[in-house]
């Protein structure tokens, strides 16, 4: 059994729970005694697909969603208003809002889950429930039980829906190991403009005496910087002394090889001496329970490299925000389920220490999601994305890649990237053309999707084994550029909210069009190619 959190038991709560349990306890008898009204209730709440799964197995894992759910957007709004009235600093305001959101979610779960959990504990002892786990990021349970238990749960008035624990696949990337390094030939005008921008930035930094000029002159030489990093103008931002320092990014992925030379010294679980300290607060393996960051697939190490990667001697500048710190959650190995993704998403909101205490103050500022499901309306992960936003965690999602079951075209953008609360990134090539595999909008809500584009063809980054590999193709490779840009912006102006980050990134992008998408924004490129220099300048000015 997976034990859920301890519930505080006051006298009044205990009496209420006891009364509720006594009223519903007759339901927990033989399911054959269920009335026609009860059968109708079960049918209305339980997914037909889930019922079919029980025909093949005695025990099935499923999700039980309660009716009482927190409006995290409203909670955050009131918390911001209170912080504003108290005139506290922007950093303190963000932390106050995040803590308020987490506490609200936890309190709601604590008050509404008790009778359900009492029943599940009883059925564990009876052998009808193999395991269960409660969640607060969505007021829900993941339960592995017999069909009789599921049917009994469905009759409870506090239960809203019972859904299958769907299997989710990692976005498949294509790796062309024979791909040649990209050598982009800029026009004469562009070369002059780019060099002028670099020179101006270095001059500004030198005048401010904030960094050593020589460091950044080296950093922006083409031989040291990957083409895609240059393409989004990150080196010019580094030349201003802005590289993501002080910002924490995360990914939900296959894990990260923390010993990789491009990533090791940036993991938050290491102190200044390189010793591992409280790793459980900077890494969570929701799949296998590994105590230290690891990655047997490579996908997560590659995406994290594009966000923060750089080695100590400066010969491999593969990341957009090399000064940022990272934490990570492994949720794929290589596939996963909804319950694992909920578990990982919840940990990000409030990392948990060895004693089980939750730490919302240690949540990341940005989370990269290079994964997704099919197209269309599917809101199973929407409460998680809403909670992240309310807690001021920037939720970047890759738009998704074409597959045999989703060949692309209008409205093909993957879920959860197609949610209104997700900020989706499409993939472009070295010529700023939309990649053939990049999924397109509009969203099921009629919104432009993806919101933005970034390089996603022939991307070189860190991979397990302490090495680097190019030729990776996918929107999984594009999304981390956007996550890295969010980190740069948060160093430049820490008070930026998630809404403001989206607004800045979109409005400063370079508009992109083609024969199919003749105006901008559009459902192929969104608002265009991210421009780190323009974005950072807009908030500095």
């Amino acid at each position: 059994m997976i034990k859920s959190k301890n519930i505080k038991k006051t006298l009044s709560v205990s009496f209420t729970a006891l009364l509720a349990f006594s009223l519903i306890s007759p339901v927990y008898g033989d399911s054959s005694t269920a009335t026609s009204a009860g059968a109708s209730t079960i049918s209305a709440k339980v997914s037909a697909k889930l019922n079919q799964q029980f025909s093949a197995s005695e025990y099935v894992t499923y999700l039980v969603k309660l009716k009482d759910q927190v409006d995290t957007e409203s909670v955050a709004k009131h918390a911001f208003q209170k912080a504003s009235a108290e005139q506290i600093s922007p950093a303190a305001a963000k932390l106050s809002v995040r803590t308020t959101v987490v506490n609200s979610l936890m309190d709601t779960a604590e008050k509404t889950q008790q009778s359900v959990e009492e029943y599940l504990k009883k059925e564990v002892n009876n052998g009808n429930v193999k395991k269960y786990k409660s969640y607060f990021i969505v007021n829900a349970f993941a339960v592995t039980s017999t069909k009789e238990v599921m049917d009994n749960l469905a009759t409870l008035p506090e239960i809203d829906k019972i859904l299958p624990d769907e299997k989710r696949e990692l976005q498949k990337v294509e790796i062309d190991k024979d791909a040649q390094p990209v050598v982009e030939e800029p026009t004469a005008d562009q070369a002059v403009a780019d060099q002028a921008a670099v020179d101006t930035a270095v001059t500004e930094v030198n005048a401010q005496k904030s960094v050593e000029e020589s460091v950044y002159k080296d950093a922006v030489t083409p031989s040291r910087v990957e083409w895609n990093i240059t393409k989004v103008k990150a080196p010019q931002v580094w030349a201003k002394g802005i590289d993501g320092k002080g910002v924490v990014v995360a990914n939900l992925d296959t894990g990260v090889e923390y010993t990789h030379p491009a990533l090791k010294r940036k993991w938050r679980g290491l102190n200044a001496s390189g010793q591992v300290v409280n790793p459980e607060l900077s890494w969570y393996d929701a799949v296998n329970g590994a105590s230290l960051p690891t990655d047997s697939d490579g996908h997560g190490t590659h995406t994290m490299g594009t966000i923060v990667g750089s080695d100590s001697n400066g010969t491999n500048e593969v990341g957009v925000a090399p000064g940022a710190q990272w934490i990570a959650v492994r949720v794929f190995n290589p596939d996963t389920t909804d319950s694992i993704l909920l578990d990982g998403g919840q940990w990000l909101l409030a990392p948990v220490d060895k004693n089980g205490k939750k730490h919302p103050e240690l949540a990341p500022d940005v989370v990269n999601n290079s994964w997704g499901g099919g197209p269309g309306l599917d809101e199973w992960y929407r409460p998680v994305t809403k909670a992240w936003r309310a807690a001021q965690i920037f939720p970047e999602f890759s738009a998704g890649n074409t597959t045999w079951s989703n060949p692309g075209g209008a409205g093909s953008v993957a879920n959860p990237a197609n949610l209104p609360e997700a900020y989706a990134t499409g993939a472009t090539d070295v010529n700023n053309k939309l990649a053939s595999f990049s999924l397109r909008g509009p969203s099921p809500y009629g919104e432009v999707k993806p919101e933005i584009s970034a390089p996603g063809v022939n991307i070189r980054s860190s991979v397990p084994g302490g090495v680097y590999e190019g030729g990776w193709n996918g929107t999984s490779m594009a999304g981390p550029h956007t996550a890295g840009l969010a980190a740069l912006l948060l160093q430049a102006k820490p008070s930026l909210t998630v809404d403001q980050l989206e607004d800045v990134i979109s409005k400063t992008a370079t508009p992109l069009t083609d024969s199919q998408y003749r105006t901008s924004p559009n459902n192929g490129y969104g608002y265009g190619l991210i421009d780190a220099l323009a974005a950072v300048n807009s908030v500095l000015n």
Side-chain angles (χ1 to χ4, degrees):
M1 168 182 166
I2 300 176
K3 293 185 178 179
S4 63
K5 58 188 179 304
N6 293 324
I7 298 176
K8 300 175 183 176
K9 297 182 179 178
T10 62
L11 182 60
S12 60
V13 171
S14 298
F15 178 77
T16 302
L18 181 61
L19 177 61
F21 191 74
S22 65
L23 289 173
I24 62 176
S25 59
V27 177
Y28 304 143
D30 188 342
S31 61
S32 64
T33 64
T35 64
S36 59
S40 177
T41 299
I42 294 171
S43 177
K45 291 183 179 180
V46 179
S47 159
K49 181 177 180 180
L50 179 56
N51 275 320
Q52 292 174 359
Q53 291 179 6
F54 275 104
S55 64
S57 177
E58 181 181 3
Y59 294 90
V60 173
T61 301
Y62 52 89
L63 299 177
V64 180
K65 185 178 179 183
L66 279 70
K67 288 181 179 178
D68 197 349
Q69 299 288 330
V70 177
D71 182 352
T72 49
E73 183 179 5
S74 178
V75 170
K77 180 180 179 181
H78 287 105
F80 265 122
Q81 289 173 346
K82 181 181 178 182
S84 177
E86 293 174 350
Q87 297 183 335
I88 59 179
S89 70
K94 276 191 174 184
L95 178 57
S96 175
V97 169
R98 181 176 295 170
T99 302
T100 301
V101 168
V102 172
N103 287 341
S104 179
L105 288 165
M106 292 175 60
D107 288 347
T108 297
E110 189 173 299
K111 291 174 182 177
T112 60
Q113 291 181 2
Q114 187 170 0
S115 61
V116 177
E117 187 161 13
E118 289 295 332
Y119 171 58
L120 292 173
K121 286 180 179 179
K122 171 187 170 184
E123 293 304 319
V124 166
N125 293 332
N126 292 337
N128 297 321
V129 173
K130 282 194 171 181
K131 63 179 181 179
Y132 72 88
K133 181 166 186 173
S134 66
Y135 301 97
F136 65 83
I137 194 166
V138 179
N139 192 9
F141 288 86
V143 180
T144 302
S145 79
T146 62
K147 188 175 187 303
E148 181 180 354
V149 170
M150 181 195 71
D151 288 344
N152 286 337
L153 287 170
T155 64
L156 301 182
E158 60 263 51
I159 302 303
D160 180 31
K161 294 178 181 178
I162 300 182
L163 304 167
D165 190 20
E166 298 276 13
K167 183 178 179 180
R168 305 286 173 175
E169 302 287 344
L170 187 68
Q171 284 183 2
K172 302 298 182 184
V173 300
E174 293 186 4
I175 304 174
D176 182 3
K177 293 188 176 181
D178 295 325
Q180 298 300 310
V182 174
V183 180
E184 186 182 13
E185 294 294 338
T187 64
D189 290 343
Q190 185 61 52
V192 170
D194 288 348
Q195 189 57 52
V198 172
D199 291 344
T200 299
V202 170
T203 299
E204 290 175 356
V205 170
N206 189 45
Q208 296 167 3
K209 302 296 184 183
S210 60
V211 295
E212 293 182 12
E213 179 182 347
S214 60
V215 171
Y216 289 99
K217 278 188 173 178
D218 284 344
V220 297
T221 55
S223 63
R224 293 173 179 259
V225 184
E226 291 300 318
W227 74 270
N228 47 301
I229 305 302
T230 301
K231 172 71 76 174
V232 302
K233 300 181 183 176
Q236 288 96 313
V237 177
W238 306 339
K240 293 176 176 289
I242 297 171
D243 60 3
K245 184 178 181 180
V247 180
V248 178
V249 300
N251 67 1
L252 281 178
D253 216 302
T254 63
V256 177
E257 183 182 76
Y258 87 97
T259 56
H260 196 288
L263 302 171
K264 183 175 182 179
R265 66 194 188 282
K266 293 127 188 266
W267 181 41
R268 194 177 66 184
L270 297 181
N271 63 17
S273 302
Q275 298 172 317
V276 176
V277 178
N278 299 323
E280 72 281 357
L281 292 172
S282 297
W283 160 257
Y284 181 52
D285 187 347
V287 181
N288 297 330
S291 60
L292 292 174
T294 185
D295 180 10
S296 59
D297 179 273
H299 190 278
T301 301
H302 197 281
T303 59
M304 188 59 77
T306 302
I307 305 175
V308 303
S310 66
D311 57 25
S312 57
N313 62 15
T315 57
N316 285 285
E317 296 285 356
V318 298
V320 174
Q325 286 187 304
W326 64 267
I327 63 175
V329 179
R330 175 152 70 174
V331 289
F332 288 94
N333 193 31
D335 53 28
T336 191
T337 62
D338 290 350
S339 59
I340 292 174
L341 285 163
L342 288 177
D343 192 18
Q346 178 172 287
W347 182 90
L348 274 178
L349 194 63
V352 184
D353 65 22
K354 293 178 181 178
N355 298 317
K357 182 179 178 181
K358 297 174 179 63
H359 292 268
E361 75 279 7
L362 295 178
D365 303 295
V366 181
V367 55
N368 182 79
N369 297 273
S370 288
W371 57 272
L377 190 64
D378 186 354
E379 297 194 323
W380 72 277
Y381 213 64
R382 193 173 184 186
V384 175
T385 312
K386 283 185 172 183
W388 285 347
R389 289 185 72 96
Q392 294 307 300
I393 301 171
F394 181 78
E396 190 286 322
F397 281 83
S398 294
N401 309 328
T402 56
T403 63
W404 66 269
S405 60
N406 185 4
S412 61
V413 63
N415 174 274
N418 63 13
L419 294 173
E421 293 79 19
Y423 195 69
T425 305
T428 53
D429 63 16
V430 67
N431 297 313
N432 294 344
K433 297 300 181 184
L434 189 65
S436 60
F437 54 75
S438 190
L439 297 181
R440 307 164 190 224
S443 78
Y445 305 88
E447 298 177 321
V448 170
K449 286 283 180 175
E451 282 87 351
I452 207 72
S453 297
V457 178
N458 195 5
I459 304 302
R460 181 176 179 269
S461 186
S462 47
V463 293
V467 297
Y468 300 84
E469 187 173 84
W472 285 53
N473 305 310
T475 56
S476 287
M477 285 56 262
H481 293 81
T482 304
L485 173 52
L488 296 178
L489 286 167
L490 285 170
Q491 181 190 353
K493 190 173 183 180
S495 64
L496 289 172
T497 65
V498 171
D499 288 345
Q500 291 169 336
L501 284 168
E502 288 190 355
D503 191 54
V504 168
I505 295 172
S506 295
K507 287 184 176 179
T508 58
T510 303
L512 296 177
T513 57
D514 58 26
S515 59
Q516 181 177 357
Y517 302 105
R518 297 181 180 276
T519 60
S520 182
N522 56 63
N523 286 305
Y525 302 92
Y527 283 83
L529 182 72
I530 63 169
D531 186 327
L533 182 62
V536 169
N537 280 342
S538 74
V539 301
L540 291 179
N541 294 335

